[in-house]
Amino acid sequence: MNKIFIVGNWKMNPQTSREAIHLLSSIKTRIENTKKVEVVICPPFVYLAGIGKKKSAKIRLGSQDCFWEEKVAFTGEVSSLMLKDLGCSYVIVGHSERRKYFHESDTMINKKLKSVLGQGLRPILCIDKVSQIKKDIKGIPEKKVKKIILAYEPIWAIGTGKACSFKQAKKFNLSIKRVLGKNHPVLYGGSVSSQNALGYIKEAQFQGLLIGGASLKPKEFVKVIELMA
Ligand code: PGA
């Protein structure tokens, strides 16, 4: 049986590295059974090294973004190669906040996907419209497309507490699978909590969840993981 992905996107939280380590240990010490679950934590870039050193074998490290070039003059950017070196296994690409506030286009997202896949890491590609998929994966060989984890995140559901209905989410899940194949892993994201988590897996048939706000609450995040197990 394929594992369920539970991905915590910490966004720009917490505010200090001390708090980040504290958050990690509160999660780490609570996690027991992860046999059926792939737990991924995506902290801000600056905490990746520290979290990487302190995390347990039950947790995988992911980044919230990357740049597509590998070296030379790109002030402020972080490459997929650097992320791999830090021990990341996953990279979130094309989150709606990056598309909106940093004007990331499908062309840029496409380059990022190629760079992440080129390093042998797994991208978690966020979309809110099925039409974005073809543009984002343009020119990527089918074998590599299989490595991309999709995350359907309706913009209006992100951080609002208004989660998408299971029925509507399932409709999107099936439309995505029509493009990428029925076994392609698709996650749901947008106001996920321990109250609705299981419904997205059982009713809406997703292969996992991308969790923002609730991933900062250790009890809540671990409860979601336990529900999957
Ligand atoms: P949320 O964020 O769970 O706080 O809605 C999800 C996301 O942005 O990935």
Side-chain angles (χ1 to χ4, degrees):
M1 197 190 116
N2 287 333
K3 282 196 169 190
I4 298 285
F5 295 92
I6 299 295
V7 184
N9 174 12
W10 286 4
K11 308 197 181 185
M12 206 169 72
N13 299 290
Q15 272 61 60
T16 64
S17 52
R18 227 179 121 157
E19 287 169 274
I21 295 296
H22 182 72
L23 178 57
L24 171 79
S25 22
S26 319
I27 293 169
K28 192 170 83 172
T29 50
R30 284 186 167 90
I31 295 181
E32 285 172 13
N33 186 358
T34 53
K35 254 191 215 150
K36 294 181 190 152
V37 193
E38 177 87 335
V39 181
V40 185
I41 285 181
C42 305
F45 282 138
V46 287
Y47 304 147
L48 281 170
I51 297 284
K53 274 192 207 118
K54 301 260 175 176
K55 71 171 190 57
S56 71
K58 287 178 179 160
I59 297 173
R60 303 240 175 244
L61 196 60
S63 164
Q64 298 173 16
D65 184 33
C66 71
F67 190 57
W68 56 81
E69 293 291 345
E70 262 173 30
K71 48 187 172 188
V72 212
F74 294 99
T75 302
E77 292 299 336
V78 176
S79 72
S80 308
L81 179 65
M82 291 169 184
L83 295 173
K84 185 181 177 179
D85 182 57
L86 280 177
C88 285
S89 313
Y90 296 88
V91 181
I92 297 175
V93 177
H95 190 279
S96 67
E97 285 151 15
R98 299 224 47 97
R99 291 184 195 250
K100 182 178 172 191
Y101 300 119
F102 304 95
H103 309 290
E104 283 193 11
S105 63
D106 291 307
T107 311
M108 288 156 83
I109 288 161
N110 176 258
K111 288 189 201 173
K112 290 187 177 193
L113 286 175
K114 286 176 179 163
S115 152
V116 173
L117 290 164
Q119 290 305 326
L121 307 178
R122 284 195 85 170
I124 300 168
L125 169 63
C126 301
I127 56 146
D128 83 309
K129 288 183 210 77
V130 179
S131 61
Q132 289 163 327
I133 302 174
K134 285 227 164 115
K135 292 182 235 165
D136 294 344
I137 65 168
K138 199 173 164 194
I140 300 175
E142 212 184 306
K143 217 173 116 194
K144 287 204 168 169
V145 170
K146 286 204 165 77
K147 300 266 175 226
I148 303 174
I149 297 165
L150 254 284
Y152 168 60
E153 295 206 305
I155 294 181
W156 52 265
I158 295 177
T160 58
K162 293 182 203 141
C164 186
S165 72
F166 302 143
K167 199 172 157 198
Q168 196 183 341
K170 185 177 177 182
K171 218 172 102 192
F172 272 93
N173 184 7
L174 297 180
S175 313
I176 294 167
K177 287 187 162 86
R178 241 172 267 133
V179 179
L180 294 172
K182 67 175 175 17
N183 294 323
H184 201 98
V186 185
L187 319 185
Y188 169 80
S191 296
V192 171
S193 69
S194 61
Q195 300 294 307
N196 59 25
L198 210 50
Y200 289 111
I201 308 300
K202 288 203 161 168
E203 282 189 44
Q205 295 167 15
F206 285 91
Q207 284 65 53
L209 302 161
L210 179 52
I211 309 175
S215 72
L216 300 169
K217 299 176 193 147
K219 269 195 200 158
E220 181 72 357
F221 187 60
V222 174
K223 204 165 162 191
V224 172
I225 297 166
E226 297 294 326
L227 283 170
M228 302 301 134

